[in-house]
Amino acid sequence: MMRRVVLSVVLWAGLLGGVVVAQVPEGSNVPAASEKPLTRRQQKALEKEQHELEKKLAEARAKRAALRAQMSSLMTERERERSEALFVDGVKYSLLEDYNKALESLLKAYAIDPDNAAINYKIAEANMLSGNMRDAANYAESATRIDPKNAYYYLLLAQIQASQKQYDSAIKTYATLIKEVPNSGSYLFNLADLYLAQSKLPEALTTLDQAEKEFGQVDEISFKKQQIYLKQNKLDQALVEGEKLIKANPNEVRYVLAQAELYANNNRLPDALRVAQQALRLDPSAAQAHLILADVYRQQNLATESAQELRLALSSPSLDIDVAVRILIGYLKQLPSPQESINQLARDLAAATVTAHPREAKAYAISGDVLVQTDRKAEARNAYSRALRYDNSKFEVWQQVIGLDGELNQTDSLLLHSNRALEIFPNQAQFWFYNGIAYQLKKQPARAAKSLEHGRKLAANNASLLAQFDAQLGEAYHELHEDDKSDASYEASLASDPSNVLVLNNYSYYLSLRGVKLDKAKTMAGKVVKQFPENETYLDTYAWVLYKQKDYAGAKDVLDKIITKSTDGSIIEHYGDILYQLGDKEKAAAEWQRARKAGGTSEMLERKLKEHKLYE
């Protein structure tokens, strides 16, 4: 019975994975259950039973291990599925540019499967896109270590390194990529670019030579080698590369043009002329060829030939509008020129540009600039107006159009253009200023005052512009018979600009018409005539102030300087009034008659003539 108990305990312990050893007194050869030795038969039975027990124990252990392995396998599968789901979420958030959520999902996937190259790659990419370059580099390096045969992992790492100007590291990354990844020779071009970025020209050349051995004659290789040779001042070798390009692409005019330009830029004028003409044989419409020829002729002091080639170049629709504009800007710097031939050439080139690009606002705008500088203001105004048809968003063009409307006294156009400009630029004070002037010229002082008042608020920080607004408001308020406002506006304008001749003249004249503040009016008018002693308008104002002060003799002396030559009816009428006050009524009547013929007189003139009497 004791033997069975011991065996049962052993079996139970084996199933639990433990080891139980029966304790036998030291030095004893007899089992603890009995002091008598076992018989041979009993010994065999016991051994057999033990053998069976060990066999069952081994089977139990195997089953237990299999069960544990199965459980482990099931757990790994669940984790793998969880990792993949998190990875997919991370990629989705990256595409949505929500990099915080992307990293949250990807890092959870990484915690489950840190040796997954794709997960490391996407974490690196999300970090890079969110600006965390240090972590981006670390995870990108991990991706390349885990999967050293994937080109994309190297490319991301090199991009991260290059963005931080770690060019040496990026070079090593590309070198490893080319070495480790099969069929990756195309990345030799990237490697060459990195060498160029560091001005490691010999290394770049070596890399390009390696690429040429692998891929043969490739245009990109020749271009890059040519670039390097030029930086090394090896013109002949650069030209050799250019010739290789032409030979490999005999019908490609761009390679011929590039070679011609290279000759021209390095003062190889006969060669430049020869190759540019070769380009024109390939493509007669090649505007660039004409530009090269124009430059060659200019360097040879052949002005007529150079000008003709420029006309041909700018007449071609194939010439980019921005190139044409740059050429014309170069001429603008010379305008107006004392040499009319240069002024005319600039106008010709501007006209050619408009013809070649009839729907380009830039063409009309630059043409307007040329015409303004060569004193063709009416044509310039029309050119700017055409520019606005194709692009009405340019503030500077509206400025030019409206300014020229004013200079040319085109009141209707000034009103039209200023109103349209205000639809687009309602906060631009100067457009309100011109709008107010236009209404004033149209004899609509109420509207003029409204525009000027609004614009003045926008010009609060511009003292010079404020002075102009106040001057015009003085005019508008005068027309509206709001004398106090008119005077206040003029005073404000003079406070900013005490020497404004127009304000001094008009303010003093209006005061004289009202017969108020005549001493102030005399002082202001006196300043003006002292500065402009022969201007009949200013002299008339000063004379009329003296007249209002009853200084008729002084008024006559002032107008005597100009009256014989004047054709202004208002001034002649004033002179007649002065003569009448001095008692010379017959001569006064004669002057009134002369004033009637000149026009622009007061409403009282007919009554004066009819009754031979002064009416004011």
Side-chain angles (χ1 to χ4, degrees):
M1 290 297 294
M2 178 60 73
R3 192 186 315 161
R4 285 188 180 176
V5 172
V6 173
L7 292 175
S8 297
V9 171
V10 171
L11 176 59
W12 175 75
L15 290 173
L16 291 179
V19 177
V20 178
V21 179
Q23 296 297 314
V24 179
E26 189 176 352
S28 174
N29 295 321
V30 182
S34 175
E35 294 181 358
K36 292 182 180 180
L38 296 174
T39 64
R40 187 171 180 81
R41 185 177 178 181
Q42 289 175 325
Q43 183 70 32
K44 285 184 178 181
L46 180 59
E47 288 176 357
K48 182 179 180 181
E49 189 174 354
Q50 286 178 333
H51 179 73
E52 290 295 327
L53 181 60
E54 289 173 359
K55 182 179 179 182
K56 288 180 180 180
L57 184 59
E59 289 174 356
R61 286 175 175 169
K63 287 180 181 180
R64 185 182 64 181
L67 179 60
R68 285 180 176 173
Q70 184 179 5
M71 291 297 290
S72 176
S73 175
L74 289 172
M75 181 65 70
T76 301
E77 183 65 22
R78 290 194 196 100
E79 290 175 342
R80 184 182 64 78
E81 290 175 357
R82 174 66 175 156
S83 176
E84 288 178 354
L86 289 166
F87 178 78
V88 170
D89 283 345
V91 172
K92 177 186 71 176
Y93 286 124
S94 284
L95 292 173
L96 296 173
E97 298 183 7
D98 189 343
Y99 301 118
N100 288 333
K101 285 188 176 181
L103 285 168
E104 183 180 346
S105 295
L106 291 168
L107 287 170
K108 287 179 181 178
Y110 175 85
I112 298 170
D113 191 3
D115 293 327
N116 187 305
I119 293 174
N120 279 270
Y121 170 75
K122 294 305 291 185
I123 293 174
E125 183 182 60
N127 273 302
M128 179 191 73
L129 294 172
S130 62
N132 184 356
M133 294 300 178
R134 185 182 65 179
D135 286 350
N138 290 336
Y139 282 102
E141 287 176 358
S142 295
T144 60
R145 285 196 302 270
I146 296 167
D147 184 0
K149 299 299 181 183
N150 191 312
Y152 292 106
Y153 301 165
Y154 291 104
L155 293 175
L156 178 64
L157 177 57
Q159 182 182 354
I160 294 166
Q161 292 164 334
S163 69
Q164 298 179 90
K165 295 185 171 34
Q166 297 173 355
Y167 296 120
D168 288 338
S169 297
I171 285 170
K172 291 178 181 177
T173 299
Y174 271 113
T176 305
L177 162 61
I178 294 164
K179 179 181 177 182
E180 294 291 335
V181 180
N183 302 315
S184 57
S186 60
Y187 298 115
L188 287 165
F189 297 101
N190 303 70
L191 183 56
D193 286 340
L194 282 171
Y195 282 128
L196 284 172
Q198 286 191 289
S199 296
K200 294 183 175 181
L201 304 184
E203 292 87 343
L205 273 175
T206 300
T207 304
L208 290 170
D209 287 338
Q210 185 180 346
E212 195 165 26
K213 289 178 183 177
E214 183 165 347
F215 299 105
Q217 170 63 39
V218 177
D219 292 353
E220 184 180 354
I221 295 173
S222 291
F223 272 127
K224 289 184 184 297
K225 289 176 74 173
Q226 190 176 58
Q227 180 185 5
I228 293 168
Y229 286 136
L230 289 172
K231 287 183 177 180
Q232 293 177 325
N233 292 318
K234 297 178 179 179
L235 176 61
D236 289 338
Q237 288 172 270
L239 290 168
V240 168
E241 293 298 329
E243 291 298 334
K244 285 165 64 175
L245 284 167
I246 294 172
K247 186 176 180 180
N249 306 273
N251 296 319
E252 280 282 359
V253 71
R254 60 194 175 108
Y255 297 126
V256 182
L257 288 170
Q259 191 77 339
E261 192 163 2
L262 190 54
Y263 279 125
N265 290 341
N266 288 278
N267 206 33
R268 299 272 290 269
L269 302 185
D271 288 322
L273 192 65
R274 170 181 57 80
V275 179
Q277 289 170 342
Q278 178 185 346
L280 285 173
R281 287 193 294 272
L282 279 174
D283 181 7
S285 67
Q288 187 66 24
H290 289 298
L291 288 180
I292 294 169
L293 288 172
D295 185 48
V296 170
Y297 289 136
R298 179 189 60 79
Q299 292 185 64
Q300 294 176 332
N301 295 317
L302 299 172
T304 302
E305 290 82 353
S306 178
Q308 181 57 24
E309 292 297 334
L310 277 175
R311 290 187 180 94
L312 291 170
L314 272 69
S315 297
S316 173
S318 68
L319 184 66
D320 185 85
I321 180 64
D322 291 327
V323 175
V325 168
R326 283 198 296 273
I327 291 169
L328 286 167
I329 288 173
Y331 275 90
L332 275 176
K333 295 173 183 177
Q334 305 175 50
L335 301 179
S337 171
Q339 300 179 46
E340 180 55 28
S341 60
I342 292 178
N343 295 330
Q344 187 58 52
L345 176 59
R347 288 193 291 266
D348 290 347
L349 296 178
T353 301
V354 167
T355 301
H357 304 279
R359 301 182 67 81
E360 278 282 359
K362 293 177 184 178
Y364 294 102
I366 192 67
S367 177
D369 292 343
V370 169
L371 291 165
V372 164
Q373 292 298 318
T374 57
D375 201 27
R376 302 290 180 91
K377 293 182 179 178
E379 295 175 54
R381 196 274 305 267
N382 293 337
Y384 289 129
S385 298
R386 293 287 296 276
L388 292 174
R389 293 183 192 178
Y390 298 105
D391 182 1
N392 67 358
S393 67
K394 297 295 184 290
F395 173 78
E396 296 80 4
V397 179
W398 282 108
Q399 275 185 310
Q400 293 284 40
V401 168
I402 291 171
L404 287 169
D405 284 338
E407 284 190 52
L408 296 168
N409 295 316
Q410 298 292 318
T411 304
D412 290 338
S413 292
L414 180 62
L415 183 59
L416 175 68
H417 287 141
S418 61
N419 276 325
R420 287 182 178 174
L422 286 170
E423 292 175 4
I424 303 169
F425 303 101
N427 296 322
Q428 288 297 326
Q430 61 182 281
F431 290 155
W432 287 104
F433 178 77
Y434 282 114
N435 190 246
I437 289 176
Y439 277 120
Q440 204 154 302
L441 292 171
K442 296 288 285 183
K443 306 299 182 185
Q444 298 182 47
R447 285 191 171 187
K450 186 176 180 180
S451 292
L452 292 167
E453 286 166 355
H454 185 80
R456 191 184 188 284
K457 295 175 183 176
L458 297 173
N461 296 322
N462 187 330
S464 175
L465 188 55
L466 273 178
Q468 295 181 55
F469 270 106
D470 287 327
Q472 292 303 319
L473 280 167
E475 293 288 312
Y477 290 138
H478 169 75
E479 295 295 328
L480 293 168
H481 305 292
E482 297 184 33
D483 296 334
D484 290 342
K485 284 187 176 181
S486 178
D487 291 355
S489 295
Y490 280 132
E491 292 288 352
S493 181
L494 289 173
S496 297
D497 183 6
S499 301
N500 189 315
V501 172
L502 291 176
V503 174
L504 289 168
N505 178 76
N506 293 356
Y507 187 20
S508 59
Y509 183 65
Y510 295 149
L511 290 176
S512 72
L513 291 178
R514 287 155 47 202
V516 299
K517 302 178 185 177
L518 293 176
D519 289 340
K520 182 180 182 66
K522 181 179 178 181
T523 299
M524 291 190 294
K527 286 183 181 180
V528 177
V529 296
K530 186 175 182 180
Q531 188 175 351
F532 300 97
E534 297 182 2
N535 184 293
E536 64 178 36
T537 299
Y538 300 152
L539 289 168
D540 178 57
T541 296
Y542 187 53
W544 199 244
V545 172
L546 295 176
Y547 177 87
K548 286 290 187 173
Q549 289 181 319
K550 302 186 184 305
D551 182 3
Y552 304 122
K556 180 177 181 299
D557 288 342
V558 171
L559 290 186
D560 278 343
K561 300 175 184 179
I562 58 167
I563 197 63
T564 58
K565 297 179 180 179
S566 179
T567 57
D568 187 314
S570 177
I571 294 174
I572 297 170
E573 183 182 358
H574 283 168
Y575 190 64
D577 293 351
I578 293 168
L579 293 173
Y580 188 92
Q581 293 286 14
L582 289 170
D584 194 344
K585 297 182 180 179
E586 289 188 11
K587 194 167 182 182
E591 292 299 319
W592 288 338
Q593 285 286 356
R594 193 161 71 94
R596 175 199 275 171
K597 292 179 182 178
T601 57
S602 73
E603 296 176 357
M604 306 300 293
L605 180 63
E606 291 302 320
R607 192 173 177 186
K608 293 176 188 178
L609 286 168
K610 183 178 180 181
E611 300 181 19
H612 291 274
K613 188 176 179 181
L614 178 63
Y615 289 96
E616 295 179 331

